């Protein structure tokens, strides 16, 4: 059994192991601003902004998967901000992927540069070659989004550590189940659990995890002081989604592998990016550090109009941004200004029955010719 399979098993049974007779298997949604607190304020739950039993349940479960203490947040961006605030001091130097999640880069531009944080941006495909000397924090997002380039987390972490810096990996796309980034040497990891981890397109959520006790404590302190706290109902939805992560990823990855081969051979498709295709530039590194190549595929059509027809005409594709949900969804990424071709579609492959999904997409591709 792999480490991650063992962790998934342990995660599914972690709560049950601690239950008293009569307690529910699922964690209760505890709506609480106040807790009973006579005498000294020395309990784990003194006040609603400090901690909450439903957060503790989802943090416990994600923490088993990450094999690390975990702090949950009300969104992926709240988690990103928590990680940045815990790591960076004034005048710090930050290396950021220029092809990573757009909002992270805008956040740095709008709010961090003015605090004399020096931000350098390079594409993910160049991270393996980059001199990391002098950077306090190296931010990685692999596979990158939407371009699906990858970089070698273990090799970069080794070089960054030798130079005295830290590495944070945004592991939203792969999740800790497909890519155990803390095992690969990252000092901390952030995730938008809005995507595959929760998986049902019904909640915004995020987390930070780290095996560095002082660092994760600082993240926890940031949440308490800044008030970036999730609602207990959202924490429950994330917990509930997480329970089927392995099952959903299994189907999503199998569907993506089947579809990647279809796109690869179809004449209406000009180019495919998928880390699982043997001649993809990401293949070798992805194969080494990911359990499976994931469920996101980049497809380039001849032009924007063909790409839009593909999305609109296919009954198996929900036209939406974001990814990691049950339903296959897609969008043309230049509508957000991404540095990709006009006809580039990011497809997030869902949990539909494989044969039916491949047939629907194959029919739509044929109709475009
Ligand atoms: C979506 C996403 C985020 C932000 O997450 P929200 O939950 O929308 O705040 C951060 N990083 C990556 C890679 C994402 O895909």
């Amino acid at each position: 059994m792999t480490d991650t399979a063992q962790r998934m098993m342990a995660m599914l049974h972690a709560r049950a192991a601690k239950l008293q007779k009569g307690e529910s298997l699922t964690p209760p949604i505890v709506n609480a601003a106040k807790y009973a607190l006579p005498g000294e304020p020395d309990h784990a739950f003194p006040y609603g902004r400090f901690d909450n039993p439903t957060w503790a349940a989802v943090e416990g479960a994600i923490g088993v998967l990450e094999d690390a203490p975990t702090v949950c947040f009300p969104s992926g961006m709240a988690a990103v901000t928590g990680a940045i605030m815990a790591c960076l001091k004034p005048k710090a130097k930050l290396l950021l992927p220029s092809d990573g999640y757009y909002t992270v880069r805008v956040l740095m531009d709008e709010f961090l540069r003015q605090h004399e944080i020096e931000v350098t941006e390079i594409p993910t495909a160049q991270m393996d070659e980059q001199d990391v000397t002098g950077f306090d924090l190296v931010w990685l997002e692999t596979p990158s989004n939407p371009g699906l380039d990858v970089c070698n987390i273990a090799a970069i972490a080794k070089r960054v550590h030798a130079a005295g810096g830290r590495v944070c990996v945004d592991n939203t796309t792969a999740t800790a189940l497909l890519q155990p980034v803390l095992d690969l040497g990252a000092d901390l990891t952030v995730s938008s659990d809005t995507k595959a981890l929760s998986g049902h397109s019904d909640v915004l959520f995020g987390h930070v995890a780290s095996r560095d006790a002082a660092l994760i404590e600082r993240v926890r302190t940031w949440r308490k002081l800044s008030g970036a706290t999730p609602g207990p109902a959202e924490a429950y939805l994330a917990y509930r989604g997480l329970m089927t992560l392995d099952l959903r990823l299994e189907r999503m990855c199998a569907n993506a592998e089947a579809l990647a081969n279809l796109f690869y051979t179809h004449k209406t498709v000009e180019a495919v990016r998928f880390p699982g295709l043997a001649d993809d530039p990401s293949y070798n590194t992805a194969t080494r550090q990911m359990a499976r190549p994931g469920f996101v595929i980049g497809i380039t059509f001849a032009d924007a109009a063909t790409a839009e027809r593909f999305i609109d005409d296919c009954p198996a594709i929900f036209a939406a941004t974001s990814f990691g949900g049950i339903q296959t969804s897609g969008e043309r990424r230049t509508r957000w200004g991404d540095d990709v071709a006009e006809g580039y579609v990011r497809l997030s492959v869902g949990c539909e029955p494989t044969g039916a999904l491949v047939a629907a997409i194959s029919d739509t591709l044929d109709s475009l010719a």
Side-chain angles (χ1 to χ4, degrees), residues 31 44 49 98 109 171 203 298 320:
N31 289 307
R49 181 163 31 76
S98 56
D109 263 348
N171 203 19
V203 66

Side-chain angles (χ1 to χ4, degrees), residues 47-51 55 71 73 82 85-86 217-229:
Y47 177 59
R49 181 163 31 76
F50 292 33
D51 211 338
W55 307 349
V71 177
F73 284 92
M85 296 313 270
E217 200 43 47
R218 207 163 150 70
V219 173
R220 199 175 291 282
T221 302
W222 164 259
R223 180 179 64 186
K224 182 170 89 177
L225 298 180
S226 69
T229 52

